Amino acid sequence: GYIFYNFVIGAYSYWGPKAGQDIYHMASADLMFGGITIVCGIFGTLAGGFILDKIDSTISNAFKLLSGATFLGAIFCFGAFCFKSLYGFIPFFSVGELLVFATQAPVNYICLHSVKPSLRPLSMAMSTVSIHILGDVPSSPIVGFIQDKIHNWRTTALLLTSILIGAFVCWFCGIFLHSVDRFNEESEHGVPATERSNLRPLLDDGNDEARTSQ
């Protein structure tokens, strides 16, 4: 789901200004798309975390928030590119971006809570590498190839936005999967994650003990 999501966001960031300039004849398309992305990214991310806290933070609820926000965000973004007027596009696209960015908190919550504490770094690393290698890295050339074939930025933008439905389907299916929250599980050494800060640093060579005994 996160790969589908990042595929769209990556192509938006690269081709969005070009599409906006061609479809709506924006005078400063880079500034317009950049401003919408920054503002909606900040408020959307914060809103996603706040809502997840309010509805009880569980893996199932995180999937519900992911699927709901992505579905509604896809509708607003798709509808935005259907408008012929810039004044219709901007508010719809802004709401869509706000909803789409609300997925940041729940998707990272799932990555951290679905594995035992010792695997959290690997979980986040796998997530980060996957979304870039399979998501935003290939999306820009693929979208460029499609545009070269059809020569219609509105159609290209609508096709790109429809890929968000793939993210919605994946995350919606996650609601019904059996999930176990492993966030507070003990590590292999029997030490709870919350007590790890009390362990001796790995690079401590025991000199402190030697000095104390002397």
PDB file of all heavy atoms in Angstrom, residues 117 120 183-187 189-201:
ATOM      1  N   PRO A 117      10.450  -5.528  19.247  1.00  0.00           N
ATOM      2  CA  PRO A 117      11.346  -4.361  19.389  1.00  0.00           C
ATOM      3  C   PRO A 117      12.680  -4.487  18.666  1.00  0.00           C
ATOM      4  O   PRO A 117      13.156  -3.514  18.092  1.00  0.00           O
ATOM      5  CB  PRO A 117      11.536  -4.264  20.904  1.00  0.00           C
ATOM      6  CG  PRO A 117      10.276  -4.829  21.475  1.00  0.00           C
ATOM      7  CD  PRO A 117       9.872  -5.940  20.543  1.00  0.00           C
ATOM      8  N   ARG A 120      12.536  -3.421  14.902  1.00  0.00           N
ATOM      9  CA  ARG A 120      12.007  -2.118  14.476  1.00  0.00           C
ATOM     10  C   ARG A 120      12.927  -1.406  13.476  1.00  0.00           C
ATOM     11  O   ARG A 120      12.449  -0.878  12.469  1.00  0.00           O
ATOM     12  CB  ARG A 120      11.768  -1.227  15.689  1.00  0.00           C
ATOM     13  CG  ARG A 120      10.548  -1.615  16.491  1.00  0.00           C
ATOM     14  CD  ARG A 120      10.408  -0.704  17.698  1.00  0.00           C
ATOM     15  NE  ARG A 120       9.633  -1.356  18.740  1.00  0.00           N
ATOM     16  CZ  ARG A 120       9.677  -1.024  20.010  1.00  0.00           C
ATOM     17  NH1 ARG A 120      10.457  -0.044  20.412  1.00  0.00           N
ATOM     18  NH2 ARG A 120       8.933  -1.650  20.893  1.00  0.00           N
ATOM     19  N   PHE A 183       4.645  -4.109  20.242  1.00  0.00           N
ATOM     20  CA  PHE A 183       5.441  -2.959  20.650  1.00  0.00           C
ATOM     21  C   PHE A 183       6.065  -3.138  22.033  1.00  0.00           C
ATOM     22  O   PHE A 183       7.193  -2.739  22.275  1.00  0.00           O
ATOM     23  CB  PHE A 183       4.571  -1.690  20.646  1.00  0.00           C
ATOM     24  CG  PHE A 183       5.360  -0.425  20.819  1.00  0.00           C
ATOM     25  CD1 PHE A 183       6.056   0.120  19.751  1.00  0.00           C
ATOM     26  CD2 PHE A 183       5.411   0.223  22.044  1.00  0.00           C
ATOM     27  CE1 PHE A 183       6.782   1.291  19.896  1.00  0.00           C
ATOM     28  CE2 PHE A 183       6.144   1.399  22.194  1.00  0.00           C
ATOM     29  CZ  PHE A 183       6.831   1.928  21.118  1.00  0.00           C
ATOM     30  N   ASN A 184       5.329  -3.739  22.968  1.00  0.00           N
ATOM     31  CA  ASN A 184       5.814  -3.882  24.341  1.00  0.00           C
ATOM     32  C   ASN A 184       6.313  -5.287  24.667  1.00  0.00           C
ATOM     33  O   ASN A 184       6.476  -5.637  25.829  1.00  0.00           O
ATOM     34  CB  ASN A 184       4.704  -3.496  25.327  1.00  0.00           C
ATOM     35  CG  ASN A 184       4.380  -2.014  25.264  1.00  0.00           C
ATOM     36  OD1 ASN A 184       5.286  -1.187  25.176  1.00  0.00           O
ATOM     37  ND2 ASN A 184       3.100  -1.690  25.293  1.00  0.00           N
ATOM     38  N   GLU A 185       6.549  -6.093  23.623  1.00  0.00           N
ATOM     39  CA  GLU A 185       7.077  -7.428  23.859  1.00  0.00           C
ATOM     40  C   GLU A 185       8.495  -7.344  24.396  1.00  0.00           C
ATOM     41  O   GLU A 185       9.219  -6.380  24.132  1.00  0.00           O
ATOM     42  CB  GLU A 185       7.076  -8.252  22.569  1.00  0.00           C
ATOM     43  CG  GLU A 185       5.728  -8.854  22.233  1.00  0.00           C
ATOM     44  CD  GLU A 185       5.845  -9.854  21.102  1.00  0.00           C
ATOM     45  OE1 GLU A 185       6.983 -10.123  20.656  1.00  0.00           O
ATOM     46  OE2 GLU A 185       4.803 -10.358  20.671  1.00  0.00           O
ATOM     47  N   GLU A 186       8.904  -8.396  25.119  1.00  0.00           N
ATOM     48  CA  GLU A 186      10.272  -8.444  25.611  1.00  0.00           C
ATOM     49  C   GLU A 186      11.207  -8.829  24.481  1.00  0.00           C
ATOM     50  O   GLU A 186      10.833  -9.505  23.528  1.00  0.00           O
ATOM     51  CB  GLU A 186      10.395  -9.460  26.754  1.00  0.00           C
ATOM     52  CG  GLU A 186       9.648  -9.058  28.007  1.00  0.00           C
ATOM     53  CD  GLU A 186       9.916 -10.019  29.156  1.00  0.00           C
ATOM     54  OE1 GLU A 186      10.568 -11.044  28.897  1.00  0.00           O
ATOM     55  OE2 GLU A 186       9.485  -9.730  30.273  1.00  0.00           O
ATOM     56  N   SER A 187      12.434  -8.379  24.584  1.00  0.00           N
ATOM     57  CA  SER A 187      13.440  -8.727  23.588  1.00  0.00           C
ATOM     58  C   SER A 187      13.916 -10.154  23.818  1.00  0.00           C
ATOM     59  O   SER A 187      13.487 -10.839  24.734  1.00  0.00           O
ATOM     60  CB  SER A 187      14.633  -7.768  23.690  1.00  0.00           C
ATOM     61  OG  SER A 187      15.306  -7.973  24.923  1.00  0.00           O
ATOM     62  N   HIS A 189      16.535 -11.108  25.074  1.00  0.00           N
ATOM     63  CA  HIS A 189      17.246 -11.230  26.341  1.00  0.00           C
ATOM     64  C   HIS A 189      16.329 -11.046  27.539  1.00  0.00           C
ATOM     65  O   HIS A 189      16.803 -10.967  28.669  1.00  0.00           O
ATOM     66  CB  HIS A 189      18.378 -10.198  26.395  1.00  0.00           C
ATOM     67  CG  HIS A 189      19.314 -10.289  25.233  1.00  0.00           C
ATOM     68  ND1 HIS A 189      20.166 -11.344  25.044  1.00  0.00           N
ATOM     69  CD2 HIS A 189      19.500  -9.458  24.176  1.00  0.00           C
ATOM     70  CE1 HIS A 189      20.867 -11.159  23.930  1.00  0.00           C
ATOM     71  NE2 HIS A 189      20.474 -10.025  23.380  1.00  0.00           N
ATOM     72  N   GLY A 190      15.011 -10.960  27.276  1.00  0.00           N
ATOM     73  CA  GLY A 190      14.067 -10.858  28.376  1.00  0.00           C
ATOM     74  C   GLY A 190      13.971  -9.486  28.989  1.00  0.00           C
ATOM     75  O   GLY A 190      13.481  -9.339  30.102  1.00  0.00           O
ATOM     76  N   VAL A 191      14.450  -8.460  28.277  1.00  0.00           N
ATOM     77  CA  VAL A 191      14.398  -7.098  28.803  1.00  0.00           C
ATOM     78  C   VAL A 191      13.325  -6.323  28.050  1.00  0.00           C
ATOM     79  O   VAL A 191      13.394  -6.211  26.824  1.00  0.00           O
ATOM     80  CB  VAL A 191      15.754  -6.389  28.636  1.00  0.00           C
ATOM     81  CG1 VAL A 191      15.688  -4.970  29.207  1.00  0.00           C
ATOM     82  CG2 VAL A 191      16.838  -7.196  29.327  1.00  0.00           C
ATOM     83  N   PRO A 192      12.321  -5.802  28.722  1.00  0.00           N
ATOM     84  CA  PRO A 192      11.283  -5.021  28.045  1.00  0.00           C
ATOM     85  C   PRO A 192      11.891  -3.826  27.331  1.00  0.00           C
ATOM     86  O   PRO A 192      12.916  -3.286  27.754  1.00  0.00           O
ATOM     87  CB  PRO A 192      10.359  -4.569  29.188  1.00  0.00           C
ATOM     88  CG  PRO A 192      10.645  -5.516  30.308  1.00  0.00           C
ATOM     89  CD  PRO A 192      12.071  -5.909  30.170  1.00  0.00           C
ATOM     90  N   ALA A 193      11.241  -3.419  26.229  1.00  0.00           N
ATOM     91  CA  ALA A 193      11.756  -2.302  25.431  1.00  0.00           C
ATOM     92  C   ALA A 193      11.858  -1.024  26.235  1.00  0.00           C
ATOM     93  O   ALA A 193      12.751  -0.210  26.032  1.00  0.00           O
ATOM     94  CB  ALA A 193      10.856  -2.083  24.213  1.00  0.00           C
ATOM     95  N   THR A 194      10.940  -0.842  27.184  1.00  0.00           N
ATOM     96  CA  THR A 194      10.934   0.387  27.971  1.00  0.00           C
ATOM     97  C   THR A 194      12.096   0.474  28.935  1.00  0.00           C
ATOM     98  O   THR A 194      12.391   1.536  29.467  1.00  0.00           O
ATOM     99  CB  THR A 194       9.626   0.493  28.771  1.00  0.00           C
ATOM    100  OG1 THR A 194       9.468  -0.697  29.548  1.00  0.00           O
ATOM    101  CG2 THR A 194       8.442   0.673  27.845  1.00  0.00           C
ATOM    102  N   GLU A 195      12.799  -0.652  29.180  1.00  0.00           N
ATOM    103  CA  GLU A 195      13.907  -0.650  30.119  1.00  0.00           C
ATOM    104  C   GLU A 195      15.261  -0.688  29.431  1.00  0.00           C
ATOM    105  O   GLU A 195      16.293  -0.796  30.070  1.00  0.00           O
ATOM    106  CB  GLU A 195      13.786  -1.861  31.062  1.00  0.00           C
ATOM    107  CG  GLU A 195      12.530  -1.814  31.943  1.00  0.00           C
ATOM    108  CD  GLU A 195      12.461  -3.017  32.862  1.00  0.00           C
ATOM    109  OE1 GLU A 195      13.452  -3.766  32.917  1.00  0.00           O
ATOM    110  OE2 GLU A 195      11.420  -3.204  33.500  1.00  0.00           O
ATOM    111  N   ARG A 196      15.260  -0.608  28.121  1.00  0.00           N
ATOM    112  CA  ARG A 196      16.523  -0.734  27.399  1.00  0.00           C
ATOM    113  C   ARG A 196      17.488   0.403  27.696  1.00  0.00           C
ATOM    114  O   ARG A 196      18.693   0.257  27.573  1.00  0.00           O
ATOM    115  CB  ARG A 196      16.265  -0.782  25.895  1.00  0.00           C
ATOM    116  CG  ARG A 196      15.703  -2.116  25.443  1.00  0.00           C
ATOM    117  CD  ARG A 196      15.708  -2.221  23.950  1.00  0.00           C
ATOM    118  NE  ARG A 196      15.440  -3.578  23.536  1.00  0.00           N
ATOM    119  CZ  ARG A 196      15.544  -3.998  22.296  1.00  0.00           C
ATOM    120  NH1 ARG A 196      15.928  -3.164  21.370  1.00  0.00           N
ATOM    121  NH2 ARG A 196      15.277  -5.244  21.994  1.00  0.00           N
ATOM    122  N   SER A 197      16.951   1.561  28.029  1.00  0.00           N
ATOM    123  CA  SER A 197      17.820   2.704  28.294  1.00  0.00           C
ATOM    124  C   SER A 197      18.705   2.483  29.508  1.00  0.00           C
ATOM    125  O   SER A 197      19.692   3.188  29.695  1.00  0.00           O
ATOM    126  CB  SER A 197      16.963   3.968  28.495  1.00  0.00           C
ATOM    127  OG  SER A 197      16.084   3.790  29.583  1.00  0.00           O
ATOM    128  N   ASN A 198      18.375   1.484  30.341  1.00  0.00           N
ATOM    129  CA  ASN A 198      19.167   1.234  31.536  1.00  0.00           C
ATOM    130  C   ASN A 198      20.302   0.236  31.292  1.00  0.00           C
ATOM    131  O   ASN A 198      21.077  -0.046  32.201  1.00  0.00           O
ATOM    132  CB  ASN A 198      18.264   0.690  32.655  1.00  0.00           C
ATOM    133  CG  ASN A 198      17.227   1.719  33.075  1.00  0.00           C
ATOM    134  OD1 ASN A 198      17.499   2.917  33.075  1.00  0.00           O
ATOM    135  ND2 ASN A 198      16.035   1.253  33.409  1.00  0.00           N
ATOM    136  N   LEU A 199      20.363  -0.306  30.073  1.00  0.00           N
ATOM    137  CA  LEU A 199      21.408  -1.276  29.788  1.00  0.00           C
ATOM    138  C   LEU A 199      22.751  -0.590  29.603  1.00  0.00           C
ATOM    139  O   LEU A 199      22.841   0.576  29.252  1.00  0.00           O
ATOM    140  CB  LEU A 199      21.067  -2.054  28.514  1.00  0.00           C
ATOM    141  CG  LEU A 199      19.856  -2.995  28.595  1.00  0.00           C
ATOM    142  CD1 LEU A 199      19.599  -3.594  27.230  1.00  0.00           C
ATOM    143  CD2 LEU A 199      20.097  -4.092  29.618  1.00  0.00           C
ATOM    144  N   ARG A 200      23.835  -1.331  29.825  1.00  0.00           N
ATOM    145  CA  ARG A 200      25.178  -0.808  29.609  1.00  0.00           C
ATOM    146  C   ARG A 200      25.383  -0.564  28.106  1.00  0.00           C
ATOM    147  O   ARG A 200      25.028  -1.409  27.292  1.00  0.00           O
ATOM    148  CB  ARG A 200      26.209  -1.819  30.108  1.00  0.00           C
ATOM    149  CG  ARG A 200      27.664  -1.346  29.903  1.00  0.00           C
ATOM    150  CD  ARG A 200      28.626  -2.485  30.183  1.00  0.00           C
ATOM    151  NE  ARG A 200      28.486  -2.958  31.539  1.00  0.00           N
ATOM    152  CZ  ARG A 200      29.048  -2.378  32.603  1.00  0.00           C
ATOM    153  NH1 ARG A 200      29.777  -1.288  32.434  1.00  0.00           N
ATOM    154  NH2 ARG A 200      28.884  -2.874  33.813  1.00  0.00           N
ATOM    155  N   PRO A 201      25.960   0.566  27.689  1.00  0.00           N
ATOM    156  CA  PRO A 201      26.245   0.805  26.271  1.00  0.00           C
ATOM    157  C   PRO A 201      27.123  -0.290  25.702  1.00  0.00           C
ATOM    158  O   PRO A 201      27.996  -0.835  26.391  1.00  0.00           O
ATOM    159  CB  PRO A 201      26.971   2.165  26.282  1.00  0.00           C
ATOM    160  CG  PRO A 201      26.530   2.811  27.558  1.00  0.00           C
ATOM    161  CD  PRO A 201      26.331   1.692  28.539  1.00  0.00           C
TER     162      PRO A 201
END
